[in-house]
Amino acid sequence: MTIKYEWRGDFDNAALNALHAAGFGHPVAQTDWRERLQRHSLGWVCAWEDGSLIGFVNVAWDGGVHAFILDTVVAQHCRARGVGATLVATAARESRAAQCEWLHVDFEEHLRSFYFDACGFNETTAGLIAL
């Protein structure tokens, strides 16, 4: 089966809420992703297989040269097939095309190999304040 990747793809809020809930292990929310993304994001990448949303990544930005990877998620049955890495590669390509100079990501320790090895991020020193 062919997987289609789409920058700023059209999606259904219910489908993205279901994918997000399954991927991050929380109840299905009623988030208005369309409104959120239109307000805060440079773009996003949707991955589709047979008309179903199987992957997603959000690219937030500062309106200048910094873009930020958020909400990377791939349907459980599609993991370990390169979908996540292709989502991030597409996000990087489109961020570069939008004249961004930096693509940032933060992640939990168990995702270290994915972001450093599969996606090509470099380790940096960063800070975080839990609010």
Side-chain angles (χ1 to χ4, degrees):
M1 292 180 222
T2 302
I3 299 173
K4 176 184 169 190
Y5 297 88
E6 189 176 17
W7 175 247
R8 296 183 66 90
D10 191 23
F11 61 87
D12 177 75
N13 273 326
L16 184 49
N17 277 312
L19 178 65
H20 198 274
F24 291 102
H26 61 74
V28 177
Q30 299 300 315
T31 302
D32 185 347
W33 284 97
R34 289 178 177 282
E35 191 277 329
R36 178 181 291 180
L37 296 173
Q38 290 296 332
R39 184 184 313 161
H40 301 291
S41 298
L42 172 65
W44 55 92
V45 184
C46 296
W48 303 94
E49 186 173 55
D50 293 331
S52 295
L53 183 64
I54 61 155
F56 174 84
V57 66
N58 179 14
V59 184
W61 72 324
D62 68 349
V65 299
H66 295 269
F68 307 85
I69 293 289
L70 298 170
D71 299 307
T72 308
V73 62
V74 174
Q76 184 71 35
H77 70 279
C78 296
R79 293 182 183 169
R81 293 173 40 193
V83 175
T86 304
L87 286 166
V88 172
T90 303
R93 183 183 70 239
E94 296 294 342
S95 297
R96 190 176 299 109
Q99 306 301 307
C100 290
E101 297 176 13
W102 300 100
L103 185 60
H104 304 263
V105 67
D106 68 349
F107 49 84
E108 295 177 358
E109 184 62 30
H110 72 277
L111 295 170
R112 182 179 192 81
S113 176
F114 170 70
Y115 283 108
F116 289 156
D117 300 335
C119 297
F121 280 87
N122 295 310
E123 189 167 355
T124 65
T125 302
L128 178 68
I129 296 174
L131 302 175

